[in-house]
Amino acid sequence: AFTDWATNTTLSSVDATEDSDLTVGTISTHITVNHIGSTNQVFIDHNPRVLVHPTAFKPTQVRNFSIQATVAGQATLSWMATTSTLSFQLWSKVPASSGTWNLLATLDGTVREYSVSGLNPNQTVAFRVDATNNYGTTPSVVLSFQPSGTAPLAPPKTLTVVSVSRDTATVVWDAVTDALQYRVMLLNRTGNSVVTDLMLPVPSVTFSNLQLGDSYILNVSA
């Protein structure tokens, strides 16, 4: 008799043709049992294959993990989606170099950001985000953050494309008071891949080697 692992039934007890994948260790082979009168004819696929279950792996590491100051003593942690994640655990360590990791929060796997408050501007804090599913946990990179004792700068405003050619574009924006530099990030149309990441002292940028017909997302912060 042959056992169908999917339904846990004996194939020789049925009255029709049956197909089934039988597993031996991690190798599967396909068999067919034909009932012709009182004779069972068994056909075995001679190309065994490994069964792979994508969900039977730990989640991938979170991508584009970043920290953005909001107001004095506060910050927002953000990250991109991961594969097969059921939940996130957010951890902090103070001081960043020698402290003990403490759990800040456990979040659903669909959450993409978290706000932290009560940060001491005199201490550097380390943060990480762990992605977890039923098969294990994958930690993110560790980021260190120096909280600000004052409110952050206002965001740049009035982004304007002033010139465009076949593969270049120049963008300008209003200067921000007290800004020393501007971080300029150009991402692909879905926002999951960074094309260019620059730090500039002036409120303008020219991008080159752009792909004709593609769309981009531009983020500028002071």
Side-chain angles (χ1 to χ4, degrees):
F2 295 92
T3 300
D4 183 343
W5 66 270
T7 60
N8 197 28
T9 58
T10 302
L11 298 185
S12 60
S13 65
V14 298
D15 298 321
T17 297
E18 291 287 341
D19 293 332
S20 179
D21 286 319
L22 299 184
T23 301
V24 181
T26 59
I27 303 298
S28 77
T29 186
H30 192 75
I31 65 98
T32 299
V33 179
N34 290 328
H35 299 270
I36 302 175
S38 61
T39 303
N40 293 336
Q41 295 183 350
V42 180
F43 301 92
I44 299 178
D45 184 347
H46 294 290
N47 296 300
R49 54 199 178 277
V50 177
L51 289 180
V52 178
H53 301 280
T55 57
F57 296 96
K58 295 193 298 183
T60 56
Q61 187 181 64
V62 299
R63 296 176 291 115
N64 294 354
F65 179 36
S66 64
I67 306 172
Q68 179 66 51
T70 51
V71 297
Q74 297 185 25
T76 296
L77 313 181
S78 61
W79 54 92
M80 298 295 292
T82 60
T83 303
S84 303
T85 299
L86 296 180
S87 64
F88 295 107
Q89 289 78 44
L90 273 62
W91 298 83
S92 67
K93 183 171 63 171
V94 181
S97 59
S98 59
T100 300
W101 286 109
N102 293 300
L103 181 63
L104 287 176
T106 298
L107 307 173
D108 184 84
T110 60
V111 177
R112 296 291 175 266
E113 68 176 30
Y114 183 80
S115 295
V116 183
S117 60
L119 302 175
N120 187 338
N122 298 315
Q123 291 182 311
T124 301
V125 188
F127 293 101
R128 81 170 197 260
V129 179
D130 292 355
T132 298
N133 64 15
N134 292 332
Y135 300 97
T137 297
T138 302
S140 71
V141 297
V142 175
L143 296 183
S144 295
F145 177 70
Q146 179 69 55
S148 173
T150 60
L153 297 173
K157 297 180 179 179
T158 319
L159 273 70
T160 304
V161 178
V162 294
S163 66
V164 178
S165 68
R166 181 181 179 84
D167 61 354
T168 66
T170 298
V171 182
V172 300
W173 55 90
D174 294 342
V176 176
T177 303
D178 296 328
L180 298 178
Q181 287 186 312
Y182 300 93
R183 185 180 185 184
V184 179
M185 294 182 66
L186 187 69
L187 300 93
N188 65 354
R189 71 176 68 192
T190 59
N192 59 10
S193 179
V194 177
V195 179
T196 302
D197 190 348
L198 303 171
M199 295 296 294
L200 300 173
V202 294
S204 66
V205 62
T206 297
F207 299 106
S208 59
N209 298 319
L210 301 178
Q211 297 299 312
L212 186 65
D214 278 1
S215 297
Y216 298 91
I217 298 172
L218 176 61
N219 292 333
V220 180
S221 57

